[in-house]
Amino acid sequence: MNLGKFRFGGVHPDEHKEAAEIHTTVLPKPKSVLLASAQHVGAPAEIIKAKGDIVKRGEVIAKASGFVSANIHASISGKISSIEIAPVPLGRNSLACLIQNDASIVDDEFQVNSNFMTLTAEEMLKKIEDAGVVGLGGAMFPTHVKISGSVKANCDVFLVNGVECEPYITSDYRLMIEHSHEIMHAINIIKKIVPSIKRTIVGIENNKPKALNEFRTCSKDSDIEVLPLKIRYPQGAEKMLIDAATGRVVPVGKFPPDIGILVINIATLYAIYEAVAKSKPLIERIVTVTGDAIKERKNMVVPFGTSIADIAEACGGITTENLLLFGGGPMMGFTLPDLNRNTVKGNNSIVFLDADKIKKSKEYPCISCERCLQVCPVNLMPTSIAHAAKAGDKEAMMKLDIMSCFECGVCSYICSSKIPLVQWIRVGKDTLRR
Ligand code: SF4
Ligand code: SF4
């Protein structure tokens, strides 16, 4: 067995997992939620409700509108007070439903069907599709499409991604500690839907010994392998994890199913369990609220569409006048301009930092030290791509394969001259997309 070797570069940034041992709590129902119709990769969902409609928690408000798309459900019960264009934390604007909470509406409970494992593979997959499950590790790719592709590709390896290597974020860790049995059920659901799977590996980095022990205990009577991995960022990226855990390499331009591997992260597996065992749509998730500028760090179950202002208030408020706010972690997340944003399915964390405490680093010209080349996990030339992006040189950007960059940020992190390489790469990608 390959015990967690890695051939990609990568780095080991300060982990800042201060919220790791904080037990998950539930955010009190917000007064309103703003639910974007574009919370996934692919076509935005089509809103099927109108202003003034009363909706119940869990009811479909927007239907998947294409092969690669996902349903959106009301995350609280109440009245749709407007349908408007709204910014979402992932940088896109989207048509969105504003729901005003109505506490007089009694929410349905989502009970476990104790016979859920007797459902057929097709019935299980349909439940995952109906529930609007998407990749919750950040990719937000519709999960039923991913699983269907893995069935067609006859994947023989199922890799459970329990890495969570991005600094600050601890939401998957809490699920691994608090809901390992549900995740084991989800693993069995996937094995039933994808019958070609012969080997199941749960990859967890060595800095999470409690999670490793939990899964060793849960899986002791099964053929599931629990694999401790050396700590390395961005090992949570699918291609890096596949290399580290199996020694297989996903060729450029190909995807994991092309080499027989299905990868699903922990939060997505938990959502799969809830969809199949409880017929519960994806309406909420654990969000890590952390950073040195929030009064109380928390791991909280938050309904989608909750405003970041409401989340901050539930955590005792902000402790600085000069806030640096991230949706997601500081490496792969997005900076947010203010608290006037609402969560989407992909938000695993909100990080509140005090900008006054962050050491300002001056940017210098490139000294050709090649450190960025050495660490890039997909062997790109970050400095050349950033140069082409600054110049708006589309041909050069394409030649340098800018689209293979998955914006892990390690080149910026390691740069001797403090050049914001990944920001320039994002600018270059935007130029090409336009
Ligand atoms: S070029 Fe892209 S993939 Fe490579 S290190 Fe930089 S951000 Fe990561
Ligand atoms: S790490 Fe920074 S200074 Fe060194 S080659 Fe890359 S861009 Fe230039």
Side-chain angles (χ1 to χ4, degrees):
M1 186 197 297
N2 179 335
L3 281 175
K5 277 191 262 162
F6 43 79
R7 281 173 285 197
F8 64 90
V11 292
H12 185 184
D14 287 344
E15 294 175 16
H16 284 292
K17 302 279 190 184
E18 289 91 358
E21 298 311 323
I22 300 171
H23 205 279
T24 305
T25 49
V26 179
L27 178 84
K29 291 242 170 69
K31 287 196 185 73
S32 65
V33 294
L34 183 63
L35 285 161
S37 57
Q39 302 196 32
H40 46 262
V41 169
E46 191 182 326
I47 295 176
I48 57 167
K49 298 287 178 186
K51 183 178 169 184
D53 283 354
I54 303 294
V55 291
K56 280 192 89 170
R57 180 175 178 261
E59 192 177 335
V60 177
I61 57 160
K63 275 196 95 60
S65 66
F67 177 63
V68 181
S69 186
N71 292 337
I72 309 283
H73 304 76
S75 58
I76 58 171
S77 298
K79 187 176 184 175
I80 297 183
S81 60
S82 73
I83 295 177
E84 57 193 64
I85 294 283
V88 293
L90 301 158
R92 285 193 284 176
N93 285 346
S94 154
L95 207 55
C97 287
L98 181 63
I99 303 175
Q100 301 295 337
N101 189 356
D102 183 344
S104 68
I105 300 174
V106 181
D107 290 336
D108 291 334
E109 289 300 323
F110 298 102
Q111 306 286 357
V112 176
N113 163 15
S114 52
N115 295 322
F116 68 90
M117 280 310 291
T118 62
L119 294 172
T120 64
E122 291 72 25
E123 287 167 337
M124 289 176 168
L125 194 57
K126 182 76 173 61
K127 280 188 177 287
I128 294 167
E129 178 177 1
D130 289 348
V133 179
V134 302
L136 297 180
M140 293 183 293
F141 190 80
T143 301
H144 66 283
V145 181
K146 185 177 196 176
I147 298 172
S148 303
S150 301
V151 173
K152 283 197 192 105
N154 284 317
C155 284
D156 62 330
V157 175
F158 174 31
L159 189 46
V160 176
N161 186 348
V163 171
E164 199 169 59
C165 58
E166 172 90 30
Y168 289 93
I169 305 173
T170 57
S171 48
D172 276 3
Y173 175 72
R174 290 316 310 169
L175 279 173
M176 287 191 275
I177 300 291
E178 296 172 28
H179 293 285
S180 54
H181 290 277
E182 288 87 342
I183 291 159
M184 289 299 292
H185 284 311
I187 290 173
N188 289 327
I189 289 167
I190 294 297
K191 286 168 79 173
K192 181 158 181 177
I193 302 176
V194 191
S196 52
I197 290 171
K198 294 191 174 55
R199 192 176 168 206
T200 301
I201 307 168
V202 181
I204 301 174
E205 284 193 340
N206 272 330
N207 58 352
K208 302 175 187 68
K210 281 191 194 167
L212 279 162
N213 283 341
E214 190 66 37
F215 275 87
R216 282 185 185 122
T217 307
C218 285
S219 64
K220 69 177 185 315
D221 297 324
S222 74
D223 58 357
I224 294 168
E225 300 163 37
V226 178
L227 179 66
L229 296 160
K230 292 176 190 168
I231 304 162
R232 200 73 177 163
Y233 177 88
Q235 190 158 226
E238 285 193 349
K239 292 184 179 182
M240 294 18 331
L241 178 59
I242 288 169
D243 184 0
T246 70
R248 294 188 197 176
V249 175
V250 184
V252 175
K254 298 281 182 189
F255 297 96
D258 296 324
I259 59 161
I261 301 184
L262 168 63
V263 187
I264 302 186
N265 97 311
I266 293 291
T268 315
L269 280 172
Y270 187 65
I272 287 170
Y273 164 78
E274 295 216 296
V276 175
K278 297 181 175 176
S279 298
K280 181 178 173 182
L282 184 59
I283 52 175
E284 60 196 12
R285 69 170 301 167
I286 300 180
V287 175
T288 302
V289 185
T290 186
D292 62 0
I294 191 80
K295 209 160 194 177
E296 262 183 87
R297 292 182 174 92
K298 290 187 181 183
N299 294 293
M300 270 194 310
V301 177
V302 176
F304 298 131
T306 301
S307 81
I308 293 169
D310 285 346
I311 292 173
E313 194 186 322
C315 295
I318 295 157
T319 59
T320 177
E321 300 274 294
N322 196 4
L323 182 66
L324 177 59
L325 188 61
F326 285 97
M331 298 293 279
M332 284 193 81
F334 285 80
T335 49
L336 301 173
D338 52 49
L339 304 179
N340 187 26
R341 291 288 184 277
N342 299 72
T343 62
V344 291
K345 293 178 181 179
N347 276 132
N348 47 9
S349 170
I350 307 291
V351 181
F352 297 79
L353 297 179
D354 184 346
D356 290 333
K357 292 186 188 155
I358 296 170
K359 212 173 116 203
K360 308 274 179 303
S361 41
K362 190 169 170 246
E363 184 181 330
Y364 294 95
C366 173
I367 56 167
S368 303
C369 66
E370 299 194 350
R371 290 176 78 187
C372 57
L373 277 76
Q374 287 154 17
V375 296
C376 176
V378 284
N379 301 318
L380 297 175
M381 298 170 70
T383 180
S384 306
I385 302 176
H387 191 70
K390 267 188 203 178
D393 186 339
K394 295 180 189 171
E395 206 183 317
M397 284 190 267
M398 291 304 287
K399 261 193 195 153
L400 291 161
D401 197 15
I402 186 171
M403 288 305 181
S404 288
C405 166
F406 62 103
E407 301 173 21
C408 68
V410 301
C411 51
S412 299
Y413 175 84
I414 206 79
C415 177
S416 315
S417 296
K418 306 295 172 207
I419 301 168
L421 294 162
V422 70
Q423 276 84 339
W424 279 114
I425 293 171
R426 282 177 180 158
V427 169
K429 283 181 168 182
D430 273 355
T431 307
L432 286 178
R433 285 192 190 111
R434 273 199 295 271

